[in-house]
Amino acid sequence: MCKGVSEQERKSIGLPVEFVYVAVIAAAILGYFSAFDWILPVWLTAGSHYSHGLLVVGVVGFRLWQDKAYLVRDTVNNRWLVVLWFALFVASAVWFVSALGGIRVPGTFAALAVMWLGISIVIGRGGVWRLFPYFVLLYSVVPIWQPLVNPMLQAMATEVVNTLLQLFDLTIYMEGNTIVMPDVVFKIVGGCSGLGYLLVALTLSIYLVLTDRLRGFGAASLIALFMGFALLSNWIRITLIMLFGYFEGPTHPLIGNHIWFGWVVYGAIFLPVLWFLPPRFVKMSAHIPPKINEEGNQVKYVSRAVFFGTVAAVLTLPILAVAINAGTALRTFEPVLKSSIPGYVEVELADKTWQPEYPSASVTHLQHFQSVRDRDDIILFFKAFYENQSDGVEVTDTQNRLQGTTWERINRDPSTIQIGYGNGAGSKLELSSVYGNKRLVVWYWYQVGGMQVGSLVEAKAAQILGKLQFRADGALFAAATYCSSDNCDDATVRLRSFIEAFEVEQVMNARTL
């Protein structure tokens, strides 16, 4: 890959391209492995849309090795080398920020981009585009497509199945995604969208594209055809199940257990497709690259500067992330959980229905306070403390429920408020009891890495900034009181008086051990 020098000079200044190829992939996998550990349980879940994920990884790894002679071309010029290095470092920086903040999806996408760009540097000119189908497969099994694609696929399935059923002149009624029949009611839920069939079809079609070197219109047509057949198989599956339900009744075995039936229909459609169609597409658009290696079997070399520069760009921030995590582990904090509030006395209440759920917290504590001036002035004060936040063990985790299990949110999006003497940031939430007409107003704020913030987004940003200062602690503080009026103005007054009655800093600032 170094022009204008002899073979002996090439060997003295470079490394075999196959070694560099494997080394860069290994460095990316080693450095960014933590970006994928959350995906493995999804891949190993039976019936998941992504249960073929490990197969895709194996297929991509196999094809990357088998196709290395086809992929490797002349080295990129210096200008594009700098551009690719810069893009690689940007992707690594996105992963770095996501890793510090425990943000899964952007971190995983960025880690795949690092691998994509790193291999592109090794294989030379045009590598980004030649690697595109390989990484489409990898991105397709990152489990984020269900909320993005399912609503559209679900709506399509509902409309098409209803149209197909009308061909049989049946007595049915459709409302939304529900199809009502005389003896049974079917609801086309998200699991019936056909996303799993669609992703498998994408895997099959791209594998054929890579194997047969399809390009342009032929490749696009094959992928579109396979995905179309995948949707068709799902629509036929749903229609047949509903016909069985209509004519045989809701007790038919297929109604309760139909996952296997879907794959039977899928196989019945795709077996003839796989048998007849690929050869025609190969003849139409197969592309044999002209003289992949003009020098025969001569070993190609990558300069040591390119190799070490690429590995450095890949591994610098993962090594820094390890150092930061090690530094944060050396600093421990303990919260001041039991508060003494001037003008209030702690009491025991028989009504303990409000129980926020923060299951991964290091410790939680709930106190009940009564004003010494007004016995009806009752405040519930909750704290959840995290000694060392990490992915899935953090104050902003989605499994946390400030409302608990016996209360429902009235306003889905909390409103931002200013609380305390220092006008610190906080949020306000109104809840209603699932057992009656009680209403509860909650004022809450976060203390993350020594910073007080009032929203989840700010808490996530504070978590990242705190990690850079070797602080991984986090806490939630929430004060709540019952409404006595329709507009809850009285609750607002009581909460403001309570929060201003104590030194916020004593509660929110953790002590270093």
Side-chain angles (χ1 to χ4, degrees):
M1 296 182 71
C2 303
K3 296 183 177 180
V5 295
S6 66
E7 180 67 16
Q8 184 176 0
E9 290 173 322
R10 288 183 181 185
K11 294 180 181 179
S12 66
I13 64 175
L15 297 168
V17 68
E18 290 188 358
F19 167 79
V20 178
Y21 191 72
V22 173
V24 169
I25 294 176
I29 293 174
L30 178 66
Y32 300 86
F33 183 79
S34 62
F36 306 100
D37 57 358
W38 68 279
I39 299 178
L40 289 176
V42 180
W43 286 352
L44 298 175
T45 301
S48 165
H49 292 317
Y50 310 95
S51 55
H52 63 299
L54 288 175
L55 174 64
V56 168
V57 172
V59 166
V60 171
F62 174 75
R63 293 307 324 176
L64 283 175
W65 179 254
Q66 286 290 103
D67 297 345
K68 61 185 182 298
Y70 162 71
L71 291 170
V72 174
R73 305 288 173 86
D74 293 332
T75 184
V76 293
N77 59 41
N78 290 337
R79 182 184 64 182
W80 280 109
L81 180 61
V82 172
V83 170
L84 289 175
W85 269 344
F86 177 76
L88 194 160
F89 194 78
V90 169
S92 182
V94 172
W95 168 85
F96 178 73
V97 172
S98 300
L100 294 185
I103 308 172
R104 291 174 172 176
V105 174
T108 301
F109 271 55
L112 287 174
V114 168
M115 186 181 299
W116 187 346
L117 293 166
I119 303 173
S120 297
I121 292 171
V122 176
I123 67 177
R125 186 177 63 249
V128 172
W129 309 116
R130 292 198 299 281
L131 288 172
F132 177 74
Y134 301 86
F135 281 86
V136 166
L137 281 182
L138 292 177
Y139 279 112
S140 72
V141 289
V142 177
I144 67 162
W145 305 110
Q146 191 164 348
L148 298 176
V149 179
N150 250 17
M152 177 186 67
L153 296 181
Q154 187 178 354
M156 289 174 58
T158 302
E159 292 295 332
V160 172
V161 168
N162 182 60
T163 301
L164 292 175
L165 290 174
Q166 296 294 340
L167 299 177
F168 294 90
D169 195 25
L170 306 178
T171 304
I172 61 174
Y173 171 72
M174 185 180 75
E175 182 177 359
N177 62 336
T178 301
I179 296 179
V180 181
M181 297 181 175
D183 297 322
V184 62
V185 176
F186 287 100
K187 188 172 184 179
I188 300 178
V189 297
C192 299
S193 67
L195 176 60
Y197 303 135
L198 202 65
L199 294 177
V200 171
L202 181 67
T203 301
L204 288 172
S205 59
I206 293 183
Y207 179 78
L208 290 173
V209 166
L210 295 175
T211 302
D212 296 326
R213 301 277 189 265
L214 304 186
R215 296 184 64 187
F217 176 77
S221 299
L222 181 64
I223 294 171
L225 186 69
F226 271 46
M227 296 180 77
F229 275 120
L231 292 177
L232 178 63
S233 68
N234 183 56
W235 299 336
I236 292 175
R237 173 187 74 93
I238 298 173
T239 303
L240 291 175
I241 291 171
M242 290 187 177
L243 288 174
F244 276 110
Y246 187 91
F247 291 108
E248 301 293 332
T251 60
H252 192 276
L254 199 60
I255 306 301
N257 184 14
H258 53 259
I259 294 178
W260 63 270
F261 181 68
W263 290 110
V264 170
V265 175
Y266 194 86
I269 289 178
F270 267 91
L271 283 177
V273 171
L274 291 171
W275 182 264
F276 291 109
L277 287 180
R280 298 181 183 179
F281 277 89
V282 170
K283 292 178 182 178
M284 180 173 64
S285 62
H287 173 70
I288 306 301
K291 296 183 180 179
I292 295 172
N293 283 324
E294 295 182 359
E295 300 168 348
N297 295 323
Q298 178 178 309
V299 177
K300 291 194 173 186
Y301 290 87
V302 176
S303 72
R304 285 178 168 82
V306 171
F307 170 67
F308 288 115
T310 303
V311 171
V314 168
L315 290 181
T316 296
L317 291 181
I319 292 172
L320 180 59
V322 170
I324 289 174
N325 287 330
T328 56
L330 297 177
R331 298 185 69 187
T332 58
F333 300 85
E334 67 176 13
V336 179
L337 286 175
K338 194 170 180 62
S339 302
S340 177
I341 312 300
Y344 291 82
V345 293
E346 188 172 358
V347 296
E348 280 292 328
L349 296 180
D351 181 6
K352 297 182 179 180
T353 57
W354 184 57
Q355 295 285 341
E357 295 184 337
Y358 283 72
S360 60
S362 304
V363 62
T364 61
H365 192 63
L366 177 63
Q367 293 175 274
H368 301 148
F369 290 97
Q370 183 182 67
S371 172
V372 297
R373 297 185 302 272
D374 184 354
R375 291 184 177 276
D376 293 328
D377 187 350
I378 302 294
I379 302 294
L380 293 72
F381 197 41
F382 174 79
K383 304 159 198 151
F385 178 72
Y386 291 76
E387 182 178 358
N388 193 347
Q389 296 186 93
S390 60
D391 185 17
V393 183
E394 51 197 339
V395 72
T396 57
D397 194 78
T398 54
Q399 67 179 330
N400 298 335
R401 291 170 57 86
L402 184 58
Q403 70 270 26
T405 57
T406 59
W407 293 81
E408 296 177 339
R409 294 189 177 197
I410 296 176
N411 53 330
R412 300 302 303 175
D413 297 320
S415 55
T416 301
I417 57 174
Q418 298 296 316
I419 59 176
Y421 285 117
N423 290 324
S427 292
K428 175 183 177 181
L429 191 66
E430 291 189 18
L431 307 176
S432 63
S433 174
V434 298
Y435 296 124
N437 296 323
K438 287 186 177 181
R439 293 175 65 189
L440 194 69
V441 176
V442 184
W443 283 12
Y444 65 95
W445 63 95
Y446 302 94
Q447 184 77 10
V448 181
M451 293 169 276
Q452 180 184 340
V453 294
S455 69
L456 286 171
V457 174
E458 293 171 324
K460 187 62 72 175
Q463 182 178 341
I464 296 169
L465 294 174
K467 279 288 188 73
L468 294 174
Q469 302 173 54
F470 300 102
R471 289 194 63 163
D473 57 300
L476 167 94
F477 297 86
T481 189
Y482 296 102
C483 295
S484 302
S485 61
D486 292 338
N487 56 13
C488 290
D489 287 345
D490 59 319
T492 298
V493 173
R494 289 198 298 272
L495 286 172
R496 182 171 286 111
S497 298
F498 174 81
I499 289 177
E500 291 178 353
F502 69 97
E503 292 293 331
V504 176
E505 290 79 8
Q506 277 188 343
V507 178
M508 293 192 298
N509 288 342
R511 290 189 285 112
T512 305
L513 292 177

